[in-house]
Amino acid sequence: MDLLNTLVDKGLRRELPTREEALAVLATSDDDLLDVVAAAGKVRRHWFGRRVKLNYLVNLKSGLCPEDCSYCSQRLGAETGILKYTWLKPDQASQAAAAGLAGGAKRVCLVASGRGPTDRDVDRVAGTIKAIKEQNEGVEVCACLGLLSDGQAERLREAGADAYNHNLNTSESTYGDITTTHTYADRVDTVNKAHAAGLSACSGLIAGMGETDEDLVDVVYSLRELDPDSVPVNFLIPVEGTPLAKEWNLTPQRCLRILAMVRFVCPDVEVRIAGGREVHLRTMQPLALNLANSIFLGDYLTTEGQAGKADLEMIADAGFEVEGTGEVTLPAHRASAGAGGCGSHEGGGCGSHEGGGVCGTAAAASAPAPASASASEPRTDLVAVRRRGAGTDLAPNA
């Protein structure tokens, strides 16, 4: 297919595809899907080999968010039944992080619900970063705390943060349809603040909220312009109790096309499969590793994820390898230009859905599929609220 040959050539040269080419990827047929994956896989392997970076989320403060992001289980007034708790203490957060690091994670993503941190919150997170780094040599730490005020990114950098996550989520033209309590421009401003402070910028999107192909291309091109080191791709988890609970618009094939398009537009950045991979990619998750070079290990912010052991087995069985702490994630030309690659999760961010910070809604894939389930039916059986790990007395899933 001439289109795919052209996109591979452009990806190897870091040349931006045309909007028409990006839209054509999303419009390919199921008959051409494996060709699309193979082509994008060439670009992924050229820049990242067969390495998969593992990231681990620690939800420092869950629920009680004043923002009204439609996709988020932690949004204002949500009746979603999620865990709700205030700030974890540094030793509690460090203990939670240790579980993910023991499971093979290279980066810890510290996430807190809310519009944005107060200066006292920044001090609190700084203490947590110090505790984690003192106990885990070589660990990367990404903060995801919502909209930043002047000077806060610099303080996080001084405290030892390596990266900051804040997702754009969707196109500028449709942003007002999903959130009214802050603007698209607010999000762009926070990503720019992270960049300016020398933090590795991490910013991504959420697919499956009813957006058009044009919206998806718009937000990915906006991300390319912002030039983050990491782009988490979230697939909406329609959690009961949120305004988007009935938006079951994705199939595994659609998810693979979206990931391929992101890889072609952002060939040399860390593309992370974030919230929703278990729910929407399902048994096609291993195929998606040919497109993305980063995932989250274990559970997400407010929902359960695939068992950590199953994540590791999936990576090995698919012929990939876990990226070690001594390896540099980004290609040399990017790693030498900035702070390193970011990685984070949900509706936004540290690769996971956000409500100011990032409200997570990714789900578990532990329940067997009903024999009668078809690809087009909502898989509500795969959505499980997190009841273990941070904020509980139960061991985390890592």
Side-chain angles (χ1 to χ4, degrees):
M1 186 186 293
D2 289 343
L3 167 68
L4 297 179
N5 291 332
T6 297
L7 288 170
V8 171
D9 289 343
K10 287 186 174 183
L12 300 185
R13 298 195 305 267
R14 293 188 288 145
E15 181 180 336
L16 183 66
T18 66
R19 286 180 53 83
E20 291 71 23
E21 289 167 341
L23 287 167
V25 173
L26 297 178
T28 52
S29 69
D30 286 351
D31 289 342
D32 293 325
L33 182 61
L34 289 180
D35 293 331
V36 172
V37 172
K42 291 179 181 178
V43 179
R44 179 253 200 264
R45 288 191 298 276
H46 176 80
W47 296 112
F48 298 96
R50 303 195 69 80
R51 293 175 286 117
V52 178
K53 182 175 181 177
L54 297 182
N55 309 271
Y56 190 69
L57 283 164
V58 177
N59 196 356
L60 297 177
K61 181 169 74 78
S62 183
L64 310 174
C65 184
E67 303 298 287
D68 68 353
C69 306
S70 299
Y71 49 79
C72 185
S73 60
Q74 303 184 75
R75 72 189 301 271
L76 178 68
E79 297 182 0
T80 51
I82 62 167
L83 290 171
K84 295 180 181 179
Y85 53 87
T86 190
W87 292 91
L88 297 182
K89 295 179 180 178
D91 61 329
Q92 293 174 314
S94 182
Q95 184 177 5
L101 296 170
K106 179 176 178 177
R107 167 165 289 186
V108 173
C109 302
L110 302 176
V111 187
S113 63
R115 179 178 178 83
T118 64
D119 287 340
R120 181 183 178 187
D121 293 336
V122 172
D123 290 339
R124 183 183 282 115
V125 175
T128 298
I129 294 170
K130 180 180 179 181
I132 291 173
K133 291 213 162 190
E134 284 179 346
Q135 298 172 30
N136 301 278
E137 184 178 354
V139 65
E140 298 175 9
V141 176
C142 179
C144 181
L145 312 173
L147 302 173
L148 293 175
S149 301
D150 290 345
Q152 290 184 329
E154 287 78 6
R155 291 173 59 197
L156 289 168
R157 178 67 171 156
E158 291 169 4
D162 300 285
Y164 196 83
N165 165 258
H166 201 63
N167 294 328
L168 297 187
N169 291 336
T170 192
S171 67
E172 182 174 12
S173 63
T174 60
Y175 194 83
D177 295 336
I178 63 168
T179 305
T180 66
T181 48
H182 60 268
T183 68
Y184 180 91
D186 290 332
R187 288 188 172 269
V188 171
D189 179 65
T190 286
V191 177
N192 286 332
K193 280 185 168 71
H195 260 313
L199 291 168
S200 174
C202 174
S203 188
L205 65 140
I206 310 172
M209 297 190 291
E211 70 282 340
T212 65
D213 285 0
E214 288 75 12
D215 290 323
L216 286 171
V217 170
D218 282 350
V219 69
V220 176
Y221 273 68
S222 294
L223 289 166
R224 165 91 181 218
E225 185 175 351
L226 280 177
D227 196 31
D229 289 325
S230 174
V231 175
V233 179
N234 297 277
F235 301 113
L236 176 73
I237 308 299
V239 175
E240 286 298 325
T242 65
L244 298 183
K246 305 303 180 186
E247 294 288 338
W248 288 85
N249 303 310
L250 298 171
T251 65
Q253 293 80 7
R254 171 74 168 167
C255 293
L256 290 170
R257 290 188 190 94
I258 292 169
L259 288 168
M261 184 269 288
V262 174
R263 175 56 71 195
F264 286 131
V265 177
C266 305
D268 60 338
V269 307
E270 178 188 344
V271 175
R272 182 174 310 103
I273 315 173
R277 65 178 166 93
E278 298 90 341
V279 177
H280 295 295
L281 280 162
R282 302 191 288 275
T283 58
M284 303 285 265
Q285 289 181 69
L287 198 56
L289 294 177
N290 290 280
L291 308 170
N293 62 297
S294 182
I295 65 171
F296 281 97
L297 179 72
D299 290 341
Y300 300 98
L301 297 176
T302 64
T303 55
E304 293 184 357
Q306 183 166 282
K309 182 174 182 290
D311 287 335
L312 298 176
E313 290 175 347
M314 175 183 72
I315 291 168
D317 288 348
F320 293 88
E321 59 187 29
V322 174
E323 183 175 291
T325 55
E327 296 179 282
V328 177
T329 300
L330 296 174
H333 64 277
R334 292 192 69 92
S336 62
C342 171
S344 97
H345 163 305
E346 209 171 317
C350 256
S352 44
H353 305 308
E354 301 187 41
V358 223
C359 304
T361 64
S366 55
S372 60
S374 72
S376 61
E377 292 177 339
R379 289 302 306 274
T380 56
D381 60 302
L382 296 181
V383 179
V385 171
R386 180 175 67 84
R387 300 295 184 198
R388 59 196 174 194
T392 78
D393 294 327
L394 299 179
N397 169 31

